[in-house]
Amino acid sequence: MPGSQSETKSSSTHHLERKMSSRHMIMLSLGGVIGTGLFLSSGYTINQAGPFGTVLAYGMGAIIVYLVMMCLGELSVAMPWTGSFHVYATQFLGPGTGFTVAILYWLTWTIALGSEFTASGIIMQQWFPDTPVWVWSALFIVIIFALNAVSVKIFAETESWLALIKVVAIIAFIVLGALTMFGAIPLQSGEPAPGFTHLFEDGLFPNGFGAVFTVMLAVNFAFSGTELIGIAAGEAENPEETVPRAIRSTLWRLAVFFIGAIIVMASLIPYKEAGVDASPFVLLFEKIGIPFAADIMNFVVLTAILSAANSGLYASTRMLWSLSNEGMIPQRISRVNKAGVPFLAMCICMVGGLFSLLSSFIAADTVYMVLVSISGLAVVLVWVSIAACHIVFRKRYLAEGKKLEDLKYRAPGYPYLSWVTLVVCALSCVLIVFDPNQRPALFYTVPFIALCYLAHRVTSKRKKHL
């Protein structure tokens, strides 16, 4: 097996420092996962799949992300490298696949940056209507850039506090919602406590059982971000202990937060009232008469957006650094500053985020929507690659005469767990062909992937002739 990334470069200018604790990694992963998908888009999922169907879909999503993280956990502990799954794909699936995985993941977070800066400006304009959106977007761009540029430890500490606000909001939502469901807190309308009746009153699947599967890709996107633990493994203190602890802690927290919040939403908000017009969190707070419910949730959503932007710039920067470190793009991009931050890579990612921000205004119906469609599928395709890498890694490991007992962390149920992970992730991508709203994402992504392979093939041939 190859050595760690820090061994691939002799110059300290390419070395990333290991300063992330287990707490930092847990909060980084939670910060990347808990975002507008839960606070805003969950209402749309309830409307499409029905209350019980949504709970089932999120339960299935939690199982899928558990399977993915078991595979990634074994790989990340054995090879704690920054940009991990792109490097694994290069080693075990081929350089073309590794390059494509990296580009897809980089694009996902870079496009997200533009969306998040736009959304943050829109939220601020609700409080300051006379100030243009771009002014607030520019301010948050400077803040997020500065936080990432100073040092990885300051970035991680800031992300921990931003993520903590979201976690507290979700816990409060679940507790208040549960008390309301069973009558401890009365509804403003005077209606009796609903308990679990809304889950079943219109049937288990009011829009058909198939609706559960058409929303699965959206549910998987809601869970995306857990894989940031693998991205950060190259900067973790004592990764053999830190990575498994972070994975275990993140998984059970996500299961409780997401499924608990969805059960409360589905139980208290009739599915025909749910949608994308208002956050389910705001609807619940208004139902029980919490003053300034909209302002409170706008603050929480703003925090969620800034947290996601913070994590997104980190993830896209490290993926670009990893591409450079592996020699797939110019190696000067992997140089780091005195604080151990890959500054040039971060500048390039921020420029990409600014382009995304501009295209969301100027070409929202053409360029921007194509980019969003591609980045939407990218994360689940990365999950497919993680499962495939785990299958090949374990085979090679044993073929080299090594013992399983020497692995510091082993995914349970190999090879069945890995194959099930690969199949269910692949199915969640393919099944969107039956949903006319999501089908274009598949048509955009397949040609883009082919273009990535072609680009890698052409650049590889040029390098051989130099």
Side-chain angles (χ1 to χ4, degrees):
M1 302 301 296
S4 68
Q5 279 187 39
S6 61
E7 295 170 355
T8 66
K9 297 288 179 186
S10 58
S11 171
S12 61
T13 59
H14 297 275
H15 176 66
L16 298 182
E17 298 180 5
R18 295 189 178 275
K19 290 187 176 181
M20 279 203 191
S21 66
S22 177
R23 175 179 65 86
H24 289 147
M25 294 185 73
I26 292 168
M27 299 310 285
L28 171 64
S29 182
L30 290 176
V33 176
I34 301 171
T36 54
L38 179 62
F39 288 118
L40 294 174
S41 305
S42 49
Y44 173 79
T45 308
I46 293 172
N47 183 270
Q48 294 296 303
F52 181 78
T54 299
V55 174
L56 179 61
Y58 271 87
M60 292 166 61
I63 292 172
I64 291 172
V65 79
Y66 169 80
L67 297 174
V68 172
M69 293 307 292
M70 292 300 99
C71 296
L72 183 58
E74 181 173 315
L75 292 167
S76 296
V77 173
M79 300 165 287
W81 301 337
T82 298
S84 59
F85 32 80
H86 130 68
V87 187
Y88 306 152
T90 300
Q91 294 289 335
F92 303 119
L93 306 178
T97 302
F99 177 79
T100 302
V101 165
I103 292 297
L104 285 172
Y105 199 73
W106 175 82
L107 183 66
T108 296
W109 285 108
T110 303
I111 298 308
L113 282 175
S115 302
E116 284 146 7
F117 290 137
T118 302
S120 63
I122 291 171
I123 288 178
M124 290 300 294
Q125 197 177 44
Q126 295 182 30
W127 290 315
F128 304 95
D130 296 330
T131 307
V133 170
W134 71 265
V135 172
W136 295 112
S137 297
L139 174 63
F140 291 130
I141 286 170
V142 172
I143 292 172
I144 295 300
F145 185 86
L147 289 173
N148 276 263
V150 177
S151 78
V152 68
K153 192 167 186 178
I154 290 177
F155 153 79
E157 198 63 40
T158 304
E159 183 58 30
S160 294
W161 286 103
L162 288 173
L164 182 62
I165 294 173
K166 295 188 287 188
V167 168
V168 169
I170 292 172
I171 292 173
F173 178 82
I174 293 172
V175 171
L176 291 173
L179 292 173
T180 305
M181 285 168 59
F182 299 106
I185 297 177
L187 290 164
Q188 286 288 95
S189 61
E191 300 173 40
F196 294 108
T197 56
H198 286 326
L199 287 175
F200 313 105
E201 64 183 357
D202 293 300
L204 292 180
F205 308 104
N207 295 326
F209 185 63
V212 176
F213 295 99
T214 58
V215 301
M216 274 309 302
L217 191 62
V219 170
N220 286 338
F221 293 158
F223 280 109
S224 66
T226 48
E227 70 285 334
L228 281 172
I229 290 175
I231 290 283
E235 294 174 90
E237 299 172 349
N238 192 9
E240 292 181 358
E241 295 181 7
T242 303
V243 173
R245 188 184 307 130
I247 288 174
R248 286 191 296 268
S249 299
T250 300
L251 287 174
W252 76 257
R253 283 175 170 84
L254 285 178
V256 171
F257 293 159
F258 271 77
I259 297 176
I262 290 296
I263 289 174
V264 168
M265 288 179 204
S267 299
L268 289 173
I269 302 170
Y271 88 97
K272 291 181 181 178
E273 294 181 16
V276 294
D277 296 332
S279 166
F281 283 65
V282 174
L283 290 175
L284 172 64
F285 288 167
E286 288 176 345
K287 276 179 175 287
I288 61 180
I290 293 181
F292 307 108
D295 286 331
I296 292 171
M297 280 316 304
N298 277 334
F299 172 74
V300 173
V301 172
L302 177 64
T303 303
I305 290 169
L306 294 179
S307 172
N310 203 33
S311 297
L313 183 56
Y314 172 85
S316 59
T317 298
R318 268 51 182 186
M319 191 56 74
L320 202 61
W321 177 91
S322 184
L323 273 171
S324 174
N325 195 57
E326 297 299 312
M328 292 185 174
I329 59 176
Q331 294 193 345
R332 62 179 176 274
I333 295 174
S334 64
R335 291 187 177 274
V336 300
N337 60 19
K338 293 180 180 179
V341 174
F343 190 77
L344 179 56
M346 189 173 68
C347 291
I348 293 171
C349 292
M350 185 59 84
V351 169
L354 291 174
F355 170 75
S356 172
L357 189 154
L358 290 174
S359 66
S360 67
F361 288 110
I362 299 169
D365 296 330
T366 53
V367 176
Y368 187 70
M369 288 313 299
V370 170
L371 293 173
V372 168
S373 297
I374 294 170
S375 66
L377 264 180
V379 171
V380 185
L381 290 172
V382 167
W383 291 1
V384 172
S385 76
I386 289 171
C389 287
H390 183 239
I391 293 168
V392 179
F393 163 75
R394 184 73 77 89
K395 284 182 179 178
R396 287 192 189 176
Y397 187 85
L398 294 176
E400 291 171 0
K402 297 178 180 178
K403 298 179 180 179
L404 288 180
E405 294 75 20
D406 294 335
L407 287 173
K408 301 297 182 182
Y409 178 83
R410 295 196 302 273
Y414 178 88
Y416 307 106
L417 177 142
S418 306
W419 278 108
V420 169
T421 306
L422 191 153
V423 170
V424 295
C425 288
L427 280 176
S428 68
C429 294
V430 175
L431 285 173
I432 67 170
V433 75
F434 298 106
D435 184 354
N437 294 321
Q438 299 184 80
R439 194 180 300 146
L442 203 58
F443 298 153
Y444 290 135
T445 304
V446 171
F448 183 79
I449 290 174
L451 189 62
C452 287
Y453 274 99
L454 179 62
H456 180 266
R457 186 177 180 84
V458 169
T459 54
S460 297
K461 282 186 176 182
R462 285 181 179 176
K463 286 181 181 178
K464 288 180 182 178
H465 292 298
L466 291 176

